[in-house]
Every structure is written in C-alpha cells, then in structure tokens.
C-alpha cells in the first residue's frame, strides 16, 4: 500500500526516506534547499547563503552557469544516453579537451561516474601494467568511498571499512605545520618526507609496489600545499623503482588551485590522473582517468578488465565540454588564482591577526584551510583528529547563522568558494567568517 506522506513537512519527508552519507541517521539536520544561483544557495525558508564550500568542493563554476545549463538542455534534446561500446561526439570531445590540458605524454581518458571509481580504475591499471600488488598512499588523504579507494584513504573513515588485506601501505607526506619529521622549514620537511618515502619503498620491497597515489594538494585532509620539489622527488622515486605515479586531482583539479590541474604548479608529469567533481562542476556526475602513453599501450592488445554502463555518458560528457569551454573562454581559472592571491590569502591572514584560534592559514587559488588551535604555542587542535568539538560545532553553527556555507573537517575550516566568485563576494564571505570566528575565540586556552 502506498504511504501517505502529505501530512509531513519536506524536512520530515527527507528525514523519513533518505539515508544520508557518512552520518548517524538520527543526528542529522539537512538544510532544505530550494534553488541556487552563482555563489548563492537559497533554502526552502527563503534564507540565502553565500556558498564558501562549493557544496562538496565541486561547483567550481558556481550554480546554474547559463552556457552549461544550455548545453545540458541541448544534449538532453539530442541524445541522453548511449552504451559505452558505441562512439559519440561529446565523449571524444571531452576526452580531447582533457588530454590537451594534461601533461606531456597524456594519451587517453577512461571515463567513470565519479571520483572514487576514477581512483579504483587508476589503481587497477597500475597493478595490471606493473604486475605488482601494493599501493602507497598518504595518511593525510581522502581517495573515495568504494573498496579500494576507502582503503587508500588515510583519514579515520577508513577504519571501519579497512579489510586489512587491501595491499595499501600508508606513509606521511610533507606538512610542516604538523611535521611528522621534526622539520623546522619547508626544505627540511621536503627532504625528510622524501627520504622517509624512499625508506618505505625499500623496506616494503620495490618489486611489490605498483603505484604511489597522492592528492597533488591534499584536500579534505587539510589543504597542505606540498613544498617545492616534493612532487618532483616523488616522480624521481617512481622512476627509480618502476612505480606508477597516480595524481588524485578529484578535488584539486579543474581550476580549484588556479590552474587546470594542481600538479601543474609543481612542474611534474604523473602517469595517471584521477579527476571528477570540477570537470562538470557536479552538474551531471562524471569522473575519469587520464592515462599516459605507456599504460594506455599496455591495453592495446590486452583486454582491460574493467568497465561501466555509464562510461562516457553523453549528457555528462557534454556537460564537461561546456564546463571546460566556460572555464577557458570566461577566464575562470585566472579568476580563481587572482581571488586566492588578492583576496583570500591576505584576507585570511588578516583574520589570523585578529583571532588567536587560527594557528595556520594555507592554500592557493580558491582552496584555503584555517587550522584552528586551542593554543598557538602548542598547536593543540581545536578539535581532536578524527572528530569535532563544542568549539568547532559552535563556529560552524555561527557560520550558518551568518548565512555562510563552509566546509569543516576535524579542527579545520576550508574556504573553498566557486572559482567564479567576485572579489566583493569573497570579501563579504570573509566578513561573515570573521563574525563567526568571534564565537570560537572564547574557546582559546593559550596565552
Ligand atoms: C581527492 C579525492 N579523491 C576522491 C574522491 C571521491 O570522489 P567521489 O565522491 O566523486 O567518489 C574525493 C571526494 O571528495 C576526493 O576529494
């Protein structure tokens, strides 16, 4: 018998029937959204929020970008789906545009539905290409929620999903503010992180390691921009030991850091690149793997044992084409870089002058993190690793009160607006954040 939902509010209907990600279902209070435009999201009650989170750091061109919405509508009128074994224009156009913006030696794109599948397939390709089983991944990382990618993930969301036999070995990447190597400057941190990684490779056995996977700038784990030379050092280690270098650009790619891909800031060419999110700004789900010539050639005469019903979905690929063209034609990537250099970096530094709970400000483009501390001298996090705290809950609630959507994780706030944000909108967001942080100042226990 059909259930009668009509007496329930929309909030109650959502809560009654939808099972939400990463949540204890009884404790969540989703914001009920009515519409969104540009960098603003309007709730059902009419309140409008400035989106400093880009949803899940994916609406890189903001909401409802007219040319992309028009391209989706046009594609829907032409052909909404086609099986992956057929060829189709929007699919090869998207692949061409992505390869053209990638590293020298990039050959092909394998399309997936999302980031986690991109990571799964990149690892599968690396294992088949090398004939080796293990993958090295950073502790401070997030790579996705399916079987391999959640085991690659370093953060505590792995723990309940860790099957103990995934073939993943974790290591510490560079992160000077919370150095695992007792380093006191970026050069030391870089050198020691590379030495430690090389020891890990040697002690694990190079002939057992298929790939090293790294977010070029780790996102959810804290936006730690790697020191100059680190990614090139990883590239050299991979070359020395015959290991495939996989760059996970799912969050940091497609304009987020002020370049097409974040690895391009560091003058390095990976072998495989996993992407998703910003490639379509999330308007239609799409992910994929950029594959270099050598790995692509491995599967010229040998069957690649992997596929997806929706690999290269025409609607998603048409969205990617329109998104990339909008980014290119409308100067969106340059805008992200300028907003980072001219508004976010100085603006967040000014907030750090004022609020002692801000221990560290780091990032680039529209990809910045505030590392919040209870004490600047000890750098004690304002929430413990792996969970929240009353202080963080209060600050996030204050952001909501200020009509600011913000990304928070453990003791951090991430200011990650769309790449299309204007200087005035960014300044407005910083003003709202300033007021919200005042609520957190009461939790500072240092001198
Ligand atoms: C770096 C990184 N890799 C992979 C993923 C997984 O992507 P998806 O959620 O689209 O599966 C994410 C998601 O946040 C991510 O940030």
């Amino acid at each position: 018998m059909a259930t009668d939902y009509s007496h329930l509010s929309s909030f109650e209907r959502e809560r009654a029937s939808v099972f939400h990600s990463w949540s204890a279902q009884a404790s969540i209070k989703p914001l009920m959204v009515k519409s969104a435009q540009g960098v603003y999201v309007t709730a059902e009650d009419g309140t409008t929020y400035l989106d400093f989170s880009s949803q899940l750091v994916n609406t890189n061109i903001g909401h409802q970008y007219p040319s992309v919405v028009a391209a989706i509508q046009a594609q829907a009128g032409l052909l909404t789906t086609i099986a992956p074994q057929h060829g189709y224009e929007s699919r090869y156009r998207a692949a061409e545009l992505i390869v053209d913006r990638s590293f020298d030696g990039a050959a092909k794109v394998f399309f997936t539905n999302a980031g986690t599948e991109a990571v799964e397939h990149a690892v599968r390709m690396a294992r088949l290409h090398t004939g080796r089983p293990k993958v090295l991944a950073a502790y401070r990382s997030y790579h996705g929620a399916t079987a391999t990618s959640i085991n690659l993930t370093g953060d505590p969301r792995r723990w309940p999903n860790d099957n103990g036999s995934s073939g993943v070995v974790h290591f510490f990447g560079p992160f000077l503010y919370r150095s695992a190597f007792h380093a006191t400057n970026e050069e030391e941190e870089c050198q020691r992180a590379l030495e430690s990684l090389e020891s890990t490779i040697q002690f694990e056995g190079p002939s057992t390691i298929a790939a090293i996977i790294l977010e070029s700038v780790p996102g959810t784990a804290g936006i730690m921009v790697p020191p100059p030379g680190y990614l090139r050092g990883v590239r050299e280690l991979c070359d020395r030991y015959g290991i495939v270098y996989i760059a996970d650009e799912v969050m940091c790619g497609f304009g987020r850091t002020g370049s097409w891909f974040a690895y391009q800031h560091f003058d390095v060419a990976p072998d495989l690149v996993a992407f998703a999110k910003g490639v379509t700004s999330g308007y239609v789900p799409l992910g994929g793997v950029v594959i270099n010539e050598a790995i692509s050639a491995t599967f010229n005469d040998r069957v690649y044992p992997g596929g997806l019903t929706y690999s290269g979905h025409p609607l998603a690929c048409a969205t990617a084409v329109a998104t990339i063209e909008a980014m290119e034609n409308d100067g969106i990537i340059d805008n992200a870089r300028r907003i980072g250099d001219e508004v976010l970096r100085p603006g967040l530094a000014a907030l750090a002058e004022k609020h002692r709970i801000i221990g560290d400000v780091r990032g680039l483009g529209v990809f910045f993190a505030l590392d919040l501390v209870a004490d600047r001298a000890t750098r004690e996090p304002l929430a413990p690793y792996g969970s929240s705290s009353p202080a963080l809950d209060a600050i996030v609630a204050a952001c909501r009160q200020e009509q600011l959507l913000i990304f928070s994780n453990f003791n951090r706030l991430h200011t990650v607006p769309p790449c299309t944000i204007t200087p005035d909108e960014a300044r407005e967001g910083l003003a709202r954040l300033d007021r919200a942080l005042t609520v957190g100042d009461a939790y500072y226990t240092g001198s």
Side-chain angles (χ1 to χ4, degrees):
M1 197 180 66
T3 311
D4 178 12
Y5 294 108
S6 60
H7 61 289
L8 298 174
S9 69
S10 57
F11 178 81
E12 288 165 337
R13 289 175 73 166
E14 170 84 21
R15 296 286 289 101
S17 56
V18 180
F19 193 95
H20 278 253
S21 315
W22 306 120
S23 304
Q25 302 299 307
S27 64
I28 52 174
K29 293 194 189 74
L31 176 73
M32 298 303 295
V33 171
K34 186 174 66 185
S35 62
Q37 190 67 49
V39 297
Y40 292 98
V41 174
T42 302
E44 282 188 352
D45 68 3
T47 312
T48 294
Y49 295 86
L50 178 52
D51 190 355
F52 250 35
S53 67
S54 297
Q55 298 304 295
L56 271 181
V57 203
N58 65 337
T59 52
N60 289 10
I61 56 169
H63 291 277
Q64 301 299 110
Y65 204 87
S67 63
V68 179
V69 172
I72 294 169
Q73 286 166 335
Q75 183 62 46
L78 278 176
L79 181 75
T80 44
T81 193
I82 197 78
Q85 68 268 29
H86 301 304
Y88 189 67
E89 183 184 359
S90 71
R91 186 186 297 148
Y92 67 71
R93 278 293 294 137
E96 289 168 356
L97 290 171
I98 293 165
V99 165
D100 283 352
R101 281 153 187 76
S102 294
F103 54 90
D104 284 346
K108 290 190 177 173
V109 176
F110 177 73
F111 286 110
T112 65
N113 298 295
T116 193
E117 288 174 349
V119 168
E120 296 275 336
H121 283 279
V123 167
R124 190 179 303 184
M125 288 173 190
R127 284 177 165 154
L128 291 163
H129 176 73
T130 59
R132 300 172 177 181
K134 282 189 222 160
V135 183
L136 305 192
Y139 276 113
R140 295 189 192 274
S141 71
Y142 178 72
H143 292 294
T146 51
T148 301
S149 47
I150 195 69
N151 277 281
L152 293 166
T153 289
D155 89 22
R157 284 177 286 181
R158 182 187 77 250
W159 304 344
N161 296 293
D162 195 333
N163 58 33
S165 60
S166 61
V168 178
V169 176
H170 286 98
F171 64 94
F172 283 104
F175 180 21
L176 183 61
Y177 187 68
R178 300 192 181 282
S179 175
F181 309 107
H182 308 285
T184 55
N185 59 53
E186 290 284 19
E187 293 74 36
E188 262 178 21
E189 182 71 1
C190 180
Q191 190 195 338
R192 293 179 189 184
L194 287 170
E195 282 168 7
S196 169
L197 179 56
E198 182 158 23
S199 296
T200 305
I201 293 169
Q202 288 169 340
F203 278 69
E204 283 296 327
S207 63
T208 69
I209 301 168
I212 297 176
I213 185 166
L214 269 177
E215 294 172 75
S216 307
V217 176
T220 307
I223 314 190
M224 293 85 72
V225 180
Y230 180 72
L231 293 184
R232 271 209 313 281
V234 171
R235 173 73 272 176
E236 281 164 26
L237 290 175
C238 287
D239 290 342
R240 191 172 313 148
Y241 295 105
I243 295 169
V244 172
Y245 171 10
I246 305 174
D248 183 341
E249 292 262 342
V250 170
M251 188 178 276
C252 60
F254 288 96
R256 176 73 30 211
T257 65
S259 62
W260 283 104
F261 295 100
Y263 64 77
Q264 291 163 342
H265 292 284
F266 305 101
D267 192 24
V268 71
D271 298 312
L272 298 170
V273 176
F275 66 86
K277 292 193 189 263
V279 65
T280 57
S281 242
Y283 288 18
V284 179
L286 184 71
V289 187
V290 183
I291 312 165
N292 76 2
E293 279 156 8
I295 298 173
S296 174
T298 295
F299 303 103
N300 277 348
D301 301 310
R302 174 180 173 189
V303 173
Y304 176 62
L308 301 150
T309 298
Y310 304 122
S311 179
H313 192 280
L315 199 58
C317 288
T319 313
V321 170
T323 302
I324 292 168
E325 285 175 346
M327 285 185 171
E328 182 94 43
N329 299 337
D330 301 346
I332 290 173
I333 293 180
D334 287 345
N335 188 65
R337 198 180 51 245
R338 267 200 311 277
I339 292 287
D341 289 344
E342 294 169 17
V343 185
L344 291 181
R345 192 188 309 283
L348 293 169
L351 291 186
E353 294 273 302
K354 192 169 164 189
H355 301 280
R356 286 179 303 167
I357 53 170
I358 300 177
D360 192 33
V361 176
R362 49 180 184 263
L364 74 176
V366 284
F367 203 37
F368 274 85
L370 299 180
D371 207 301
L372 303 183
V373 293
D375 183 332
R376 279 191 173 179
T378 63
R379 301 184 179 181
E380 180 194 340
L382 199 57
Y385 179 70
S387 69
S388 191
S389 66
L392 257 292
D393 292 347
I395 296 167
V396 171
C399 286
R400 182 69 72 92
Q401 199 66 32
E402 290 291 339
Q403 295 167 224
L404 182 71
L405 299 181
I406 195 128
F407 183 101
S408 72
N409 185 246
F410 311 160
N411 70 314
R412 284 171 278 104
L413 298 180
H414 293 187
T415 55
V416 287
C419 306
T420 47
I421 195 165
T422 65
D424 281 347
E425 289 166 339
R427 281 188 210 102
E428 173 60 31
L430 291 174
R432 295 183 192 194
L433 181 59
D434 184 10
R435 293 193 291 271
L437 285 165
T438 304
V439 171
D441 290 338
Y443 293 87
Y444 190 77
T445 54
S447 50

